[in-house]
Amino acid sequence: MTEYTVTRDDLTFSVGDSTCAGWIHLPRGVERPPVVVLGHGLGATREMGLDAYAERFARAGIAALSFTYRHFGDSGGQPRQLLSIRRQLADWDAALDYVRSRSDIDPGRVAVWGTSFGGGHALTIASRHPELRAAVAQCPFTDGLASARALGLRSTARALPSVMGDLLAAARGRQPVTIALAAPPGELGLMNAPDALTGTLALVPPGITFINEVAARVLPTITAYRPGRSVKRVRPPILFCVTDGDSVTPAAQTLAYARTAPHGEIKRYDAGHFDIYQGEPFDAVVADQVEFLTRHLQATDPSAAGNPSMTADSTQENQ
C-alpha cells in the first residue's frame, strides 16, 4: 500500500450561531481524496488522540477531518462545558456539510468515525445519512441504561442534587453546576470505573488544558440516549471495534446491537476502553480501520468495494 506524506491545517466551520474548531489532514499528491470525519467521546477534544488516527488514515490516502464539539476546548459556544446530545449531533451534520463544500475533497466518498460517546453519535449519524460510504464505531456508547448500570445506581442517585441544581441554574440564566467527567472509583462523575480517570488524563498531551467537568443537566439525557437502537437502520457498511474489557461501554450490549447491522463487521480486542488509543491496541485497531476504510472509500464505484450484501444474521465477526 502506498504511504503518503501528510499536511495538517487548522480550520473552523459554522454551526448554529457559533463554530467548531478542527483539523484537516490531507494526503499530499492525492487529487480529491475521500474523507472520514472523526468525533471524540464525553467532554474530550480533538487533541486527545484523534490526530493519531487522522494521521494514519491520511497516510493511506484518505483525508481526515477531526473536530471539537461546541462548548468544549477551542470551539465556540456558551455556556462552557455544556454537553448537549442534540447540539453535538448538529455539529456532526455541520462537519459533513463542511467537508462536502471543499473543492479538494470528493463529496461522494465520505465516512464517519466516532469513539466512545462519539461512537454512539456515529451510529446515529450513519442511520440518518444513507449516502455515507462507511462508518466506524470504536468502543461505542450504545445504551445509556447499560452504561448507567455499569456506573452503578448509587452513583447515579448521588448525582441527582447536582442535576437539579444545574437545571435550576439554567432556568435562571446562571453558570452551570458541574460534575466531573472522569472520577476515581466511588466518587461522583460521569465515568468512575477504575481506569476512567487515569485513562482520560493519559489522553491529554503536554501543553493542552483539559477541563474535567461537565454541566450536570446532561445526565438524564445520557441515560435516555440509546444510539444502539439505530444500528438496524444503518445502510452504509459499518465497522464495530469492541474492547472485551470495556469498563465504560459494556461489550456485551455493544455486540448485541452490532449484530443487528445490515452491513456490519465486528472486530474484538483484548483491551480496555482507554487502552485502544495507545501502544499495541492502537496499532491493531487502526490497522483494521485503515483496511476497512480503504476498502469502502477508495473505490470510485461503491459496488467495487467488495461489500457483501449481508443481513443482520451474517454480520462478520472476528473471535
Side-chain angles (χ1 to χ4, degrees):
M1 178 184 294
T2 301
E3 184 167 300
Y4 298 91
T5 57
V6 178
T7 62
R8 190 189 83 179
D9 295 319
D10 297 328
L11 60 88
T12 60
F13 56 86
S14 297
V15 52
D17 59 356
S18 190
T19 58
C20 285
W23 292 318
I24 186 76
H25 285 71
L26 291 169
R28 287 182 176 174
V30 180
E31 185 176 355
R32 302 189 80 213
V35 64
V36 56
V37 175
L38 295 87
H40 220 315
L42 283 174
T45 64
R46 68 189 184 282
E47 294 88 355
M48 296 169 66
L50 293 194
D51 55 333
Y53 293 90
E55 174 83 16
R56 292 289 188 95
F57 299 152
R59 283 190 208 168
I62 300 167
L65 169 72
S66 49
F67 70 96
T68 298
Y69 300 109
R70 283 176 291 171
H71 307 280
F72 294 93
D74 57 350
S75 290
Q78 293 292 334
R80 306 305 296 168
Q81 304 306 118
L82 175 66
L83 200 167
S84 164
I85 293 172
R86 177 180 58 82
R87 290 180 178 229
Q88 290 193 350
L89 292 173
D91 295 345
W92 278 91
D93 284 333
L96 290 173
D97 288 342
Y98 172 80
V99 295
R100 288 177 176 133
S101 74
R102 290 182 62 117
S103 61
D104 56 349
I105 287 173
D106 185 345
R109 293 187 290 159
V110 181
V112 292
W113 179 103
T115 187
S116 193
F117 203 62
H121 290 336
L123 301 178
T124 301
I125 291 297
S127 73
R128 297 177 179 179
H129 290 271
E131 77 280 2
L132 291 171
R133 284 290 190 89
V136 176
Q138 175 177 283
C139 302
F141 175 98
T142 58
D143 193 295
L145 290 177
S147 291
R149 286 193 293 268
L151 178 64
L153 294 178
R154 181 177 298 180
S155 295
T156 302
R158 287 177 56 201
L160 291 179
S162 297
V163 173
M164 297 305 295
D166 190 36
L167 291 172
L168 183 60
R172 293 177 174 177
R174 297 178 180 174
Q175 287 299 303
V177 175
T178 62
I179 60 175
L181 283 160
E187 295 191 14
L188 181 60
L190 292 187
M191 301 179 290
N192 65 1
D195 58 345
L197 181 58
T198 55
T200 298
L201 295 180
L203 298 178
V204 183
I208 296 298
T209 299
F210 169 65
I211 301 175
N212 185 27
E213 60 184 37
V214 65
R217 73 193 72 166
V218 72
L219 188 58
T221 63
I222 287 180
T223 303
Y225 188 39
R226 307 181 80 179
R229 290 185 167 187
S230 68
V231 169
K232 61 182 177 293
R233 300 191 299 275
V234 174
R235 306 316 303 172
I238 182 167
L239 174 66
F240 292 86
C241 298
V242 182
T243 52
D244 288 333
D246 202 311
S247 61
V248 177
T249 56
Q253 187 67 69
T254 300
L255 291 168
Y257 281 125
R259 290 169 183 142
T260 70
H263 306 292
E265 298 178 33
I266 299 170
K267 296 288 186 178
R268 298 173 66 174
Y269 306 89
D270 183 17
H273 186 85
F274 298 95
D275 298 330
I276 207 74
Y277 299 95
Q278 298 173 339
E280 291 183 7
F282 167 78
D283 289 333
V285 73
V286 79
D288 288 337
Q289 292 169 1
V290 166
E291 187 280 328
F292 175 82
L293 290 171
T294 299
R295 182 167 18 113
H296 293 290
L297 287 177
Q298 293 289 22
T300 302
D301 178 359
S303 64
N307 175 49
S309 179
M310 293 186 293
T311 66
D313 292 334
S314 60
T315 299
Q316 296 179 343
E317 180 175 354
N318 74 326
Q319 297 293 337

